[in-house]
């Protein structure tokens, strides 16, 4: 992080009176760092043209995503002016129309979300349970009607925390970052409502991913349409918050499958069809819901033009 001591002081100050994740601010500053290194100055010293050029290179999918960045960088600029680290804050005059000009139409047309995009969007969310839902979908955790995802509990983690054993009997390896988010989601007993007014409400559900209001009747099991509707509703709230139409359950899962296949094709040097016929290729296909006998043909038809 460029000029890290000052930025960490700002983060501490900013978080005292606002609902915001520390990971949101540190993630943004880490993203901005390469532009600061290029220009050999702190982002609070950028002129308006340099700021808009930077936002154009963010490759954002919506103005709303950029507006979030402006909110935090504007606050940082005001902090730096107040503490006399710079003379003016060039983030203040930025308008929505200016940000609209920073969106590349070709990026909007893309049908998949990259791992980097997923991670950056997840970092901007307030609730760990929402972060975990997205990463669960991206990692191929769903099951019939999303039952495997909604029924996730802390006791489903293996002793070393590297494997999730799902209700359906499937075992899925997870990385450290997903595991850390899951643990925080399981421990979560408050949720921040997304909207113009941020409200914090107490919820039941410690030890599990599914959260419910304090007055809700206890759930016996998570089956059928209820599980699907729970995930659908949360993802649609997030989609509307970011204003990214492509951000759907199906797209998140497809993007996760694409990323996973890319990683294994690079590692094995096999063609797509060759890899899909391996034991690992079949396991990945089944994990993402391709359970038919001709899964090799189905997955190949879906992915061959994007891999």
């Amino acid at each position: 992080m460029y000029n890290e001591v000052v930025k960490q002081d700002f983060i501490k100050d900013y978080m005292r009176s606002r609902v915001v994740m520390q990971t949101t601010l540190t993630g943004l500053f880490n993203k901005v760092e390469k532009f600061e290194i290029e220009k050999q100055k702190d982002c609070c010293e950028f002129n308006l043209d340099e700021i808009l050029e930077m936002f154009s290179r963010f490759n954002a999918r919506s103005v709303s995503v950029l507006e979030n960045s402006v909110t935090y960088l504007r606050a940082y600029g005001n902090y730096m002016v107040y503490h006399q680290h710079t003379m003016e804050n060039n983030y203040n005059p930025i308008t929505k129309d200016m940000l609209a000009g920073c969106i590349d139409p070709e990026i909007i047309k893309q049908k998949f979300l990259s791992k980097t995009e997923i991670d950056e969007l997840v970092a901007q969310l307030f609730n760990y349970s929402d972060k975990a839902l997205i990463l669960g979908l991206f990692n191929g955790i769903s099951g019939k009607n999303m039952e495997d995802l909604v029924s996730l509990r802390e006791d489903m983690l293996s002793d070393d925390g590297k494997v999730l054993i799902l209700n359906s009997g499937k075992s899925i390896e997870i990385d450290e970052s997903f595991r850390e988010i899951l643990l925080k989601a399981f421990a979560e007993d408050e949720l921040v409502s997304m909207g113009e007014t941020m409200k914090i409400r107490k919820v039941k559900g410690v030890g599990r991913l599914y959260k419910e209001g304090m007055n809700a009747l206890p759930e016996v099991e998570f089956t059928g349409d209820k599980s699907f509707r729970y995930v659908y509703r949360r993802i649609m709230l997030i989609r509307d918050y970011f204003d990214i139409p492509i951000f759907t359950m199906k797209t998140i899962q497809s993007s996760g499958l694409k990323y996973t296949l890319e990683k294994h094709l690079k590692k094995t040097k096999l063609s797509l069809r060759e890899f899909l016929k391996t034991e690992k290729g079949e396991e990945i296909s089944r994990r993402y819901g391709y359970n038919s006998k001709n899964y090799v043909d189905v997955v190949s038809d879906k992915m061959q033009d994007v891999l």
Side-chain angles (χ1 to χ4, degrees), residues 234-294:
R234 297 306 305 176
I235 296 299
M236 289 301 97
L237 285 170
I238 296 166
R239 184 193 70 173
D240 292 344
Y241 176 71
F242 288 130
D243 191 25
I244 301 178
I246 195 179
F247 200 83
T248 63
M249 294 155 61
K250 183 177 180 180
T251 299
I252 296 168
Q253 288 178 299
S254 296
S255 299
L257 174 60
K258 178 177 179 289
Y259 169 77
T260 303
L261 289 174
E262 284 176 336
K263 186 170 59 174
H264 284 281
L265 292 181
K266 183 177 180 180
K267 181 179 179 180
T268 62
K269 308 298 183 185
L270 296 174
S271 70
L272 176 57
R273 294 187 69 88
E274 287 172 338
F275 175 72
L276 290 173
K277 292 176 182 178
T278 67
E279 183 178 351
K280 188 64 177 178
E282 181 176 1
E283 183 271 316
I284 290 171
S285 300
R286 305 297 187 203
R287 187 202 315 171
Y288 282 91
Y290 294 91
N291 296 310
S292 64
K293 292 182 179 179
N294 62 334

Side-chain angles (χ1 to χ4, degrees), residues 140-178:
I141 301 172
S142 57
K144 183 180 179 181
N145 291 320
M146 297 291 151
E147 290 167 20
D148 275 348
L149 183 56
V150 175
S151 63
L152 284 180
R153 302 186 311 274
E154 191 167 2
D155 60 11
M156 291 178 173
L157 280 168
S158 61
D159 291 339
D160 61 6
K162 295 181 179 180
V163 176
L164 271 172
I165 297 135
L166 308 180
N167 267 358
S168 62
K170 293 180 182 178
S171 296
I172 295 182
E173 293 182 7
I174 59 174
D175 61 26
E176 184 177 353
S177 61
F178 184 22

Side-chain angles (χ1 to χ4, degrees), residues 7 10 14 25 28-29 32 36 42-44 46 51 54-55 58 66-80 89-92 94:
K7 286 188 171 70
F10 161 73
Y14 190 77
L25 297 173
L28 176 59
F29 284 135
V32 166
E36 295 174 310
D42 193 278
C43 62
C44 73
F46 288 2
I51 292 170
M54 174 179 70
F55 286 148
F58 271 18
L66 291 180
E67 284 182 311
N68 288 339
S69 298
V70 171
T71 296
Y72 301 132
L73 292 175
R74 181 178 288 145
Y76 175 62
N78 289 335
Y79 175 88
M80 296 295 273
N89 182 2
N90 290 315
Y91 294 90
N92 281 333
I94 293 176

